[in-house]
């Protein structure tokens, strides 16, 4: 289901939008809807990536670090 939305834009911007839509071979409505869908998609991708990164931070990283040997044990003779 689709819903109608009313936008107010500057007349100069509207002229440019009409030209852009014509060059793209689409309507202003389809052009705006496509841009909004892309914006929402990018936001969803960002949110997913953020949740994955935060989960990795909560789990922690296994770096294989070992405490260094003591000075005395290194220089045993």
């Amino acid at each position: 289901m689709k819903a109608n939305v009313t936008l107010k834009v500057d007349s100069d911007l509207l002229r440019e939008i009409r030209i852009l839509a014509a060059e793209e071979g689409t309507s202003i409505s389809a052009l705006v809807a496509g841009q909004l869908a892309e914006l929402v998609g990018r936001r969803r991708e960002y949110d997913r990536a953020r949740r994955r990164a935060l989960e990795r931070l909560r789990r922690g990283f296994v770096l294989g670090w070992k405490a260094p040997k003591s000075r005395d044990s290194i220089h045993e003779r």
Side-chain angles (χ1 to χ4, degrees), residues 10-35:
D10 184 64
S11 60
D12 291 336
L13 177 60
L14 180 58
R15 185 172 39 80
E16 294 293 327
I17 293 169
R18 284 184 175 139
I19 293 169
L20 181 60
E23 289 174 351
E24 297 283 325
T26 189
S27 66
I28 293 173
S29 180
L31 186 69
V32 171
Q35 290 296 308

Side-chain angles (χ1 to χ4, degrees), residues 44 46-56 58:
R44 284 181 182 157
Y46 171 80
D47 288 342
R48 279 193 298 264
R50 184 176 184 273
R51 281 193 302 272
R52 284 193 311 265
L54 289 172
E55 182 56 34
R56 283 188 207 120
R58 282 186 201 100

